[in-house]
Every structure is written in structure tokens, then in C-alpha cells.
Amino acid sequence: MAQDILIIEEVDVRREDDAEDTRVFTINKMGLPALKRKTSEHTPGGGIGTVNYALPMIDALEPTFAVKGVDLDVLRKYGFTSGTNDKWIFAASLRNKKTNVLLPVRATIQGIICEWSPGEHTPGELLDCDHTMQEVKYYKLVVNNERIFEWDFYGRKWFNGDTDVFAEYRATLGA
């Protein structure tokens, strides 16, 4: 069966602990983090080529978002807020073009905004400000109330849907 065409139509970014902290009127772009497995290159001395072995790890997650204008909330709480990582909700409306049904998308991300990059100001135009989050230690992506992906650095958990990718590793270590 052919895959449905799914189009993101609206986005928002807000702090998880403050439902009123919406950027729905200022957000310009939202970038969920790329999921990339860590690999290790191996070229055997007697081999005929190189293999990049996929490891049971992912590379650092770096979500981004951009707003029109200056986001004073982000600047006031730049980096650490009360010495802890913030949890953010990246929300979107995803339209199934075949059925015309609108689906909710929610990504919960715990990390620190480590980069604030204001664009050049041009009179008569709104300033673009880019934000990059790093030190991400938790990421959960849910589409239409279905867990698609969940990763917890300190919990040593990694789920693809309902599959607990790291269960056997925790078990072998007795954790």
C-alpha cells in the first residue's frame, strides 16, 4: 500500500511547565532533531573494503526553532533555568492529504538553548532569531497519540514505537 502524504500545517514551541508560553504567533520555523545512529568505521587489514558498523547509540540531538522578533522569555532564561534543563513541547498539526484528517504531533524535549542567533535587522522587516538546543537528554515524539520514538539518556531507554531497543542491554548489565 502507498504511504499517505502527511504535511505539517502549523507549529508551536513552548515550555512544558507553562501552557501559556506559546510562540504560535511568532514562530517562523521548527526543526525536530535529526535521528542519526552512531557508527564506527572498520577497515580490516586483510579486507577488501570498509564497513561503517551501526552501534546501539544515537548522535547528539539538536532541535531548533526560529521566531520573528525577539523572544525575551528565552533571553531572560538563556541556558539554565534554575540550574536545570528545561522541557519543551514542539507541537504541530499534521494533515493526512488522503483522508484530510488533522493529526496532533507532540515532541517533548529536555535540553538547553545554547545558541541564540539574531539575524540582521532591516527596517520595515521583522527580525529572525534562531534558537538551537543542545545537551538534550530526553526526547519523545508522539503522532496522533502513538509513541513513534522515545529516548532517555539517564533512563538508558530507547523506544522505536513499542519496541524497547535497549531492553536486552539493560538486562545483560543487570539494570
Side-chain angles (χ1 to χ4, degrees):
M1 179 186 342
Q3 294 290 319
D4 289 344
I5 298 171
L6 304 173
I7 306 291
I8 290 181
E9 292 187 351
E10 291 187 317
V11 296
D12 187 20
V13 173
R14 57 188 176 266
R15 292 181 194 278
E16 182 186 54
D17 62 355
D18 185 358
E20 301 297 317
D21 183 45
T22 180
R23 288 164 180 76
V24 73
F25 295 114
T26 59
I27 192 159
N28 191 27
K29 294 183 277 185
M30 178 183 85
L32 293 174
L35 298 176
K36 182 179 176 193
R37 290 193 68 154
K38 189 159 284 293
T39 60
S40 179
E41 185 177 289
H42 175 63
T43 306
I48 60 169
T50 299
V51 174
N52 283 334
Y53 286 105
L55 303 174
M57 302 175 191
I58 62 171
D59 280 338
L61 301 170
E62 293 188 1
T64 61
F65 65 94
V67 298
K68 288 290 191 180
V70 176
D71 188 329
L72 292 178
D73 173 67
V74 169
L75 290 177
R76 285 185 189 112
K77 300 174 185 176
Y78 180 74
F80 289 101
T81 301
S82 303
T84 61
N85 295 58
D86 288 331
K87 272 197 176 173
W88 293 82
I89 301 294
F90 283 54
S93 299
L94 187 67
R95 173 92 49 199
N96 183 322
K97 298 305 275 185
K98 181 178 179 182
T99 64
N100 203 36
V101 172
L102 199 59
L103 309 171
V105 176
R106 297 288 179 274
T108 304
I109 302 170
Q110 182 177 1
I112 299 172
I113 295 179
C114 286
E115 184 177 337
W116 177 73
S117 178
E120 294 179 0
H121 178 68
T122 303
E125 293 182 15
L126 292 174
L127 178 70
D128 285 320
C129 292
D130 295 327
H131 304 77
T132 302
M133 190 178 298
Q134 295 178 348
E135 202 174 308
V136 173
K137 296 180 186 126
Y138 179 82
Y139 176 47
K140 182 177 183 180
L141 177 63
V142 175
V143 177
N144 199 27
N145 299 315
E146 176 190 350
R147 177 179 58 193
I148 303 298
F149 182 84
E150 185 173 7
W151 180 83
D152 183 349
F153 179 80
Y154 285 118
R156 299 188 69 239
K157 294 182 181 170
W158 173 354
F159 290 90
N160 287 339
D162 290 330
T163 303
D164 186 346
V165 176
F166 229 70
E168 66 181 332
Y169 295 96
R170 289 191 311 273
T172 60
L173 295 176

